[in-house]
Amino acid sequence: MTAALRYRAVLFDLDGTLVDSYAALAEAVNYARREHGLHELSAARIRDFIGEGLERLLQRAFDCETVPTSVRNAFERRYDDICCEESKVLTDVEATLVDLEKLGVAMAVCTNKPTSFSKKILEFLQLAPFFRAIVGPDLAGARKPEAQHVLRTLQAADVVADGALFVGDMPIDVHAARNSGIDVAVVATGSSSIEQLRASKPDHYLSRFSDLVTLVQQGNA
């Protein structure tokens, strides 16, 4: 069946694409700030800091170039406690993954979130079995938008770039796909606006996550 597909493999971003974990990230950031005598930041402001990995998130939240070990430890301690219960699967995601699996599409996750947290959340939400690989920057030795992160994820999933599609919710996902030479589709379920996503010039814009099934089969989106 896969021979008839336009895309035989799909790589997904995690936060904002498959899962909403913004509440947990905001609480962990503010916990670390409270522990260091700082006032809390709004959830909206913290949401704007998300997308380029844990180091960049904490650099922005603490306005520093070098993140103190005590800050990282406080964040990770709190996030580890709440990341599963405070994360939820986004609309249509599970049903779409089921449909893609039935079509024989190979799937993997390419995320700037550390691999350990990513696996923990996906296992808790019972999505992990859909994916051949879950690759954070610590495993890839690079982070999106660097091509190495995407290419290492393809390698870990035992798929090739030809016939692969990246699906994300931010311009950084578009840039990562472009740098890696694969097509990219975006969906406005994360922190980026429709205007920001269209301006990044993806190959495909998904009005709904479930439109991915049609795109993979026919490329009409």
Side-chain angles (χ1 to χ4, degrees), residues 14-25 47 50 79 83-91 93 113 121 125 127 189-190:
L14 180 57
D15 289 322
T17 301
L18 298 174
V19 170
D20 179 349
S21 62
Y22 293 117
L25 289 167
R47 191 180 179 104
I50 295 169
Y79 192 64
C83 66
C84 291
E85 290 77 6
E86 293 295 324
S87 296
K88 59 184 180 181
V89 182
L90 287 166
T91 303
V93 165
K113 187 190 292 290
I121 291 168
L125 296 175
L127 296 182
T189 49

Side-chain angles (χ1 to χ4, degrees), residues 192-213:
S192 297
S193 67
I194 293 174
E195 293 75 21
Q196 289 172 321
L197 291 174
R198 290 196 182 279
S200 69
K201 298 182 179 179
D203 297 291
H204 311 284
Y205 179 82
L206 305 174
S207 297
R208 299 175 301 277
F209 190 86
S210 57
D211 290 343
L212 183 57
V213 178

